[in-house]
Amino acid sequence: MATHHGPPTVVVVGSTNIDLVAYLSRVPRSGETLVGRRFQMGFGGKGANQAVMARLLGAEVVMVNCLGDDTYGDMTLDNFAGFGIDTANVYRVPGASGVAPIWVEPDGSNRIIIIPGANHELTGDQAARSVRRTPDAGAVVGQFEIPQEVTAAAFAAAREQGATTVLNPAPAAALSSGLLELTDWLIPNEVEFETLSGGSPDSDRALVAFAEETATRLVVTLGEDGAAVVSAGFDRVERLPSPGVDPVDTTGAGDAFVGAFVFGLASGLGERAAVRLGNACAADSVTRPGTQSSFPRSERIEQLLAEIRGSSV
Ligand code: RIB
């Protein structure tokens, strides 16, 4: 991708959810009722989270998504508007918007259930049309919370206009070959990598083999250990560590990584710096509760960007 002057434009084709987060001392056993410590309702969905992270860093962001005609849909639109995210390609259908009940334990680890609702109503035609309406898009990003064929239609349109395609295969599911052929960068987390490849992300050989098999640029996020990147020639793995932090809530950290990585890539930072920016934003986000509410803001964003831009990469 060429060096970009001015803010890059990123199109996110993906999900929005309302996150219903319960903070607990431990998760309940079957048949057990527990008293939780705290509850937080917030804005989530992997697509929306990645859009918000890229926007917070300064990208022009176009969200492509489908919402229900409920209050959650209205709230989600207001949330996007508050961030200055373009919602001209957010569609609405009768019924419920996506929701995600989430349990978070004291070590920051989470368990998430998604109920897709309207997220599954976005069509391939809508997705492709929305991408075509954004001819200056530097990158088009997708996840697995909307049907794969819809993401494939968006990626096909992205390819036609020379945009880089980035797929975060989350939550893990078998990859359709049609979508894979249209994917430039594949970014699973460690669990998703194991599910998709059958190998361990601890093994450089497994990472290289999977990158070669999928013919994609592969970045695997490794939680507190940062991320591993397979080189373009499929001959080298670089492991870039994450800044050490005390986690409070890891929900959305992977999305902070993807949103920041895509921003970095689309703004011409270079892939190594883009991964480091992803690591920095993800680590920062786990120090605060919630999903989008945990992402770094204004001054912290400036600080993180200055650190990445200032160090030799
Ligand atoms: O990655 C975290 C996200 O997963 C949450 O916001 C939740 O909505 C689910 O999509």
Side-chain angles (χ1 to χ4, degrees), residues 15 17 19 43-46 49 100 102 112 114 145 251-252 255 291:
S15 58
N17 292 322
D19 287 352
F43 295 97
K46 295 183 197 302
N49 299 342
I102 301 176
I112 303 178
I114 53 169
E145 289 184 344
T251 312
D255 300 330
T291 313

Side-chain angles (χ1 to χ4, degrees), residues 23-308:
Y23 293 89
L24 314 121
S25 50
R26 64 171 175 81
V27 295
R29 288 189 289 272
S30 172
E32 183 184 26
T33 300
L34 274 186
V35 178
R37 292 189 298 138
R38 203 162 66 81
F39 172 77
Q40 182 173 320
M41 185 165 93
F43 295 97
K46 295 183 197 302
N49 299 342
Q50 293 169 18
V52 165
M53 188 67 250
R55 177 68 189 144
L56 284 167
L57 285 160
E60 298 293 344
V61 177
V62 174
M63 184 72 202
V64 183
N65 168 249
C66 190
L67 294 168
D69 60 356
D70 52 0
T71 312
Y72 285 171
D74 298 341
M75 288 161 53
T76 299
L77 277 177
D78 287 349
N79 182 55
F80 283 141
F83 283 109
I85 290 173
D86 181 330
T87 56
N89 297 283
V90 174
Y91 302 84
R92 296 197 77 168
V93 291
S97 299
V99 292
I102 301 176
W103 291 347
V104 179
E105 291 185 88
D107 66 355
S109 62
N110 61 46
R111 286 171 170 75
I112 303 178
I113 300 170
I114 53 169
I115 297 131
N119 286 310
H120 276 196
E121 301 300 322
L122 185 71
T123 68
D125 277 353
Q126 287 169 330
R129 216 181 317 132
S130 302
V131 171
R132 286 192 198 107
R133 280 192 201 123
T134 321
D136 60 337
V140 176
V141 190
Q143 316 75 27
F144 275 1
E145 289 184 344
I146 65 170
Q148 289 193 35
E149 64 271 21
V150 176
T151 309
F155 279 14
R159 279 272 173 95
E160 280 164 21
Q161 55 198 51
T164 298
T165 56
V166 180
L167 181 65
N168 171 223
L175 277 160
S176 84
S177 56
L179 178 55
L180 205 48
E181 280 164 16
L182 296 163
T183 299
D184 295 320
W185 288 84
L186 186 64
I187 313 185
N189 71 11
E190 39 201 333
V191 175
E192 290 144 9
F193 176 79
E194 279 168 0
T195 309
L196 294 173
S197 73
S200 162
D202 296 340
S203 155
D204 285 3
R205 193 188 290 249
L207 294 172
V208 165
F210 190 61
E212 217 162 2
E213 182 193 325
T214 55
T216 57
R217 294 302 314 276
L218 180 68
V219 178
V220 180
T221 58
L222 304 168
E224 62 189 23
D225 292 329
V229 194
V230 178
S231 63
F234 305 127
D235 53 358
R236 211 165 31 84
V237 173
E238 186 171 15
R239 292 175 185 268
L240 293 160
S242 177
V245 291
D246 280 332
V248 170
D249 181 352
T250 58
T251 312
D255 300 330
F257 180 96
V258 174
F261 173 79
V262 169
F263 167 84
L265 212 58
S267 55
L269 269 186
E271 60 191 59
R272 199 162 181 272
V275 171
R276 292 181 57 234
L277 183 62
N279 281 341
C281 290
D284 193 80
S285 80
V286 306
T287 63
R288 286 177 290 274
T291 313
Q292 292 171 23
S293 59
S294 73
F295 292 175
R297 299 292 202 272
S298 43
E299 272 176 37
R300 186 68 185 128
I301 287 276
E302 292 311 319
Q303 217 177 1
L304 293 171
L305 278 171
E307 279 167 24
I308 300 297

